[in-house]
Amino acid sequence: MCGIVGAVAERNILPVLVEGLKRLEYRGYDSAGVALLDGDGTLQRVRRPGKVSELEQALATAPLNGRLGIAHTRWATHGVPSERNAHPHFSGNDLALVHNGIIENHEPLRARLKDMGYLFTSETDTEVIVHLLHHHLDALGDLADALKATVKELHGAYGLAVISAKQPDRLLATRSGSPLVIGLGLGENFLASDQLALRQVTDRFMYLEEGDIAEIRRDSVQVWDLDGQPVQREQVQYHEGAEAADKGAYRHFMLKEIHEQPKVVQRTLEGRLGLDHVLVEAFGPQAGALLAKVRNVQIVACGTSYHAGMVARYWLEELAGIPCQIEVASEFRYRKVVVQPDTLFVSISQSGETADTLAALRNAKQLAPGAGGYLASLAICNVGTSSLVRESDLTLLTQAGPEIGVASTKAFTTQLVALLLLTLALGRMRGGLSATVEAELVDELRRLPTRLGEALGMDKTVEKVAELFAEKHHTLFLGRGAQYPVAMEGALKLKEISYIHAEAYPAGELKHGPLALVDSDMPVVTVAPNNELVEKLKSNLQEVRARGGQLVVFADIEAGIDNGEGTHVVSMPHIHDILAPILYTLPLQLLSYYVAVLKGTDVDQPRNLAKSVTVE
Ligand code: G6P
């Protein structure tokens, strides 16, 4: 979604801002802009609908130069993607502001500001903030004081960065419900909505907390908390290699990230496996005592992370004997829930900033334990510094590294690994899992990176199969048991990046509707590990073939499913059934990738989608 970059330095910071915007492109956006304070003390601005490259072209013909500036990529919510709706927004000629998030009370504020004489030039909710700030600045004189007064009147979510021509030595920032991080340099400081934007200039960061206001100067940073009290926020050194934001030899980030899975799964396992059991300490110092009390699990997530949670439900009930409920966060957050005693609330998120998932966690935390509330909250997340992690009692970090492709791949498989670790830990503590089964699965987990590497060896075979889909408009994905969510994830990947309509069904539901759609124009994709459901699945496949449907089956080499007319089988290495959802995800990712390449779509930044959905 939207991205913010800001800088205050003694050099021309335009290249830093533009490079920062490029690094945020993966989040999804539809316009971009930059505002700088030039040498004459005048605010200059360039904005363009479309890609950052279009902004760059505009800047090439009319270059800006300045030592203080803010920049933004906008994902349209209020008002179409256009130059006048793009950020930065101005009030008069001396105040510029960029905003991530949504201001819910923008209509009454707009009416009030219009009555005061402010002229609006955009349809955005953001423009009310900059005029309101202007109004308070006139009265208070100091930018930080004016910003404190302004945010008191805002309802909604925001990450804001502000510069003023009248106070040319500082950059102001504040956040509530939308992340912001300060990048600390030598004699220069930076701001961004995601540290990735600033990895080119620093590896030292300071994360703003909810409600913080920061005044950033070249050589100092002052932060006030929600109550207006000065606070010190911790400085964090970021260790992930800068190469993460580089495609290397791969044509797309998505392909690179698919191929990284053996390595990142290995990393996610590191330090978490004893000889024959999962190390509960990996979940945090208080984890042992808390997890021992868990009798139920409630999982909440969105998108791909939700599918990971769906797989976990099968595991938790089968292996640990623990009842598990799972729900998409956007539904959960608005529903009155009945909480079973001793329920662990688990949120799953790649970014840790997804608005609905965060809201669900916050709602869950408001219910007191013992009075119908949750026992504790656990975040399974890929970003250690995210809001979700900071606000949860326990954390299990996935170690996928930055994921740039909008369509999630390595984040999903590392979430599955983390959830299986959780299942094994809970299973042992609740007595639902025998030591022998735990030891067997720990052993299988150790071998998993190698198995994933083998599965990726099928790359070229899957590329060939993808040709079957390039001209099609609809597809059906089938799976049974824990492979049903894998089929859902496969369908989601295909629709996200190739724009082909794809639906997933539990194979047993085929006869209850979707079979009516099956003909030679609607390929049916199935995942078929060799388990107790494989014979039933074979019957479902016959039902498809009898209607002239083309089958693509990713089948265990021992499953007894063979190539034939209208049936294209891709053989998969044999794997323990519990780990099969992780392995079978890989060919489905490759399939959607190659279909998208054949169709020529924007693989890493599919239309209308955002990497991190930080607004509702
Ligand atoms: C967006 C992304 C998806 C992601 C979902 C949840 O829709 O495009 O790839 O699965 O958000 O994101 P999270 O960061 O919470 O896992």
Side-chain angles (χ1 to χ4, degrees):
M1 309 225 101
C2 307
I4 288 177
V5 191
V8 50
E10 260 206 292
R11 53 176 168 143
N12 176 23
I13 41 87
L14 182 68
V16 174
L17 297 181
V18 173
E19 175 61 25
L21 291 185
K22 284 190 197 160
R23 287 166 181 251
L24 294 179
E25 281 193 289
Y26 77 98
R27 296 168 65 91
Y29 69 102
D30 35 43
S31 59
V34 56
L36 286 184
L37 191 64
D38 72 10
D40 301 333
T42 309
L43 277 178
Q44 304 283 358
R45 160 174 76 171
V46 177
R47 300 177 292 173
R48 285 292 178 275
K51 298 276 176 190
V52 174
S53 56
E54 286 161 57
L55 177 71
E56 268 188 300
Q57 271 172 24
L59 287 165
T61 47
L64 300 184
N65 192 314
R67 297 167 182 193
L68 174 71
I70 50 179
H72 191 260
T73 45
R74 170 176 186 255
W75 190 76
T77 56
H78 298 70
V80 294
S82 65
E83 181 169 346
R84 70 198 173 89
N85 285 335
H87 304 207
H89 286 284
F90 278 16
S91 186
N93 293 324
D94 51 17
L95 199 57
L97 173 144
V98 291
H99 165 219
N100 285 359
I102 287 179
I103 300 304
E104 284 170 346
N105 58 336
H106 69 102
E107 281 174 353
L109 286 174
R110 181 182 280 252
R112 209 177 98 207
L113 288 157
K114 275 185 176 171
D115 285 348
M116 289 180 201
Y118 282 100
L119 289 178
F120 281 78
T121 58
S122 79
E123 301 148 84
T124 62
D125 52 338
T126 301
E127 199 179 350
V128 301
I129 315 174
V130 72
H131 293 316
L132 189 60
L133 181 65
H134 189 275
H135 163 69
H136 286 302
L137 191 57
D138 272 352
L140 299 166
D142 177 75
L143 196 52
D145 290 343
L147 190 58
K148 288 175 195 168
T150 301
V151 295
K152 285 202 178 104
E153 298 191 57
L154 303 179
H155 301 166
Y158 53 82
L160 301 175
V162 186
I163 54 173
S164 161
K166 291 193 178 144
Q167 299 180 23
D169 55 346
R170 71 198 72 171
L171 169 63
L172 267 291
T174 182
R175 66 157 280 183
S176 178
S178 198
L180 278 181
V181 57
I182 296 170
L184 303 162
L186 291 174
E188 53 186 15
N189 286 315
F190 310 92
L191 177 79
S193 50
D194 179 335
Q195 66 195 12
L196 213 58
L198 303 177
R199 289 290 289 119
Q200 34 146 351
V201 280
T202 185
D203 61 358
R204 279 190 307 131
F205 296 96
M206 186 188 280
Y207 294 89
L208 294 184
E209 303 267 326
E210 284 291 273
D212 278 357
I213 292 184
E215 186 176 73
I216 306 158
R217 298 174 187 243
R218 273 200 311 103
D219 44 15
S220 68
V221 172
Q222 167 77 62
V223 183
W224 296 270
D225 69 9
L226 196 58
D227 302 321
Q229 296 305 312
V231 277
Q232 297 283 345
R233 296 291 176 217
E234 196 191 344
Q235 291 187 21
V236 181
Q237 193 104 15
Y238 185 66
H239 295 295
E240 180 63 42
E243 75 283 0
D246 187 339
K247 283 197 279 264
Y250 291 96
R251 186 165 161 197
H252 295 101
F253 279 110
M254 183 179 179
L255 188 61
K256 176 184 175 226
E257 289 161 1
I258 289 174
H259 280 273
E260 277 172 2
Q261 290 175 105
K263 181 178 78 189
V264 296
V265 161
Q266 173 74 48
R267 255 198 247 155
T268 303
L269 290 170
E270 267 161 26
R272 290 165 174 173
L273 296 180
L275 200 57
D276 54 6
H277 64 281
V278 171
L279 302 172
V280 179
E281 303 75 29
F283 296 76
Q286 345 142 31
L290 269 178
L291 294 183
K293 294 187 200 147
V294 173
R295 277 196 279 151
N296 294 283
V297 170
Q298 169 71 59
I299 302 180
V300 167
C302 299
T304 289
S305 300
Y306 170 69
H307 295 154
M310 283 188 74
V311 174
R313 182 172 62 168
Y314 287 88
W315 287 338
L316 280 160
E317 300 211 343
E318 179 178 340
L319 292 170
I322 292 182
C324 174
Q325 302 209 45
I326 158 111
E327 191 164 2
V328 284
S330 53
E331 287 297 316
F332 180 89
R333 66 178 287 192
Y334 287 118
R335 181 167 93 67
K336 179 156 181 6
V337 292
V338 177
V339 184
Q340 295 293 328
D342 301 320
T343 299
L344 178 68
F345 182 90
V346 178
S347 57
I348 311 172
S349 174
Q350 187 284 125
S351 60
E353 302 293 350
T354 300
D356 284 323
T357 310
L358 262 175
L361 169 67
R362 287 172 185 160
N363 288 356
K365 283 176 64 176
Q366 275 174 5
L367 304 169
Y374 291 94
L375 179 70
S377 54
L378 165 70
I380 296 201
C381 188
N382 197 36
V383 182
T385 47
S386 63
S387 307
L388 200 73
V389 167
R390 289 204 300 267
E391 295 181 29
S392 296
D393 300 316
L394 301 173
T395 301
L396 189 58
L397 284 182
T398 50
Q399 300 290 348
E403 190 179 62
I404 309 292
V406 165
S408 187
T409 53
K410 60 177 181 168
F412 179 67
T413 40
T414 52
Q415 284 167 349
L416 289 178
V417 168
L419 286 159
L420 187 51
L421 293 176
L422 173 68
T423 303
L424 298 183
L426 284 175
R428 172 158 33 93
M429 283 191 263
R430 296 300 310 164
L433 181 72
S434 76
T436 325
V437 175
E438 184 175 12
E440 184 192 353
L441 287 169
V442 163
D443 200 38
E444 291 288 339
L445 273 170
R446 279 212 180 83
R447 289 182 223 210
L448 182 61
T450 313
R451 312 306 274 282
L452 297 181
E454 284 163 25
L456 290 171
M458 301 176 321
D459 192 310
K460 292 288 163 236
T461 317
V462 180
E463 185 173 7
K464 189 86 194 111
V465 171
E467 290 169 13
L468 288 169
F469 295 78
E471 303 298 324
K472 302 288 193 258
H473 299 290
H474 306 277
T475 54
L476 197 57
F477 284 70
L478 300 178
R480 274 184 177 265
Q483 299 298 336
Y484 166 48
V486 171
M488 291 176 80
E489 175 59 12
L492 177 65
K493 285 290 85 90
L494 192 69
K495 73 181 101 166
E496 278 179 319
I497 62 168
S498 75
Y499 316 146
I500 293 176
H501 170 222
E503 274 192 74
Y505 264 88
E509 278 289 294
L510 190 61
K511 293 193 219 45
H512 300 292
L515 201 53
L517 299 171
V518 171
D519 62 16
S520 57
D521 276 334
M522 173 134 160
V524 177
V525 181
T526 315
V527 274
N530 192 17
N531 59 22
E532 75 271 19
L533 295 173
V534 76
E535 292 307 320
K536 292 192 187 302
L537 190 70
K538 284 182 192 170
S539 310
N540 301 136
L541 301 186
Q542 288 308 320
E543 290 158 11
V544 171
R545 278 304 299 137
R547 274 89 192 163
Q550 297 283 310
L551 281 169
V552 172
V553 192
F554 295 94
D556 188 299
I557 198 146
E558 296 163 15
I561 302 176
D562 300 318
N563 266 314
E565 205 197 327
T567 306
H568 309 266
V569 178
V570 179
S571 287
M572 298 285 296
H574 182 66
I575 188 152
H576 192 294
D577 195 39
I578 290 294
L579 277 77
I582 309 177
L583 187 81
Y584 279 74
T585 295
L586 271 50
L588 299 188
Q589 294 169 343
L590 286 169
L591 180 66
S592 57
Y593 172 76
Y594 283 116
V595 175
V597 168
L598 282 172
K599 295 198 70 180
T601 57
D602 189 344
V603 172
D604 286 331
Q605 292 169 42
R607 68 184 181 202
N608 306 340
L609 299 182
K611 180 71 188 158
S612 178
V613 182
T614 49
V615 294
E616 220 183 320

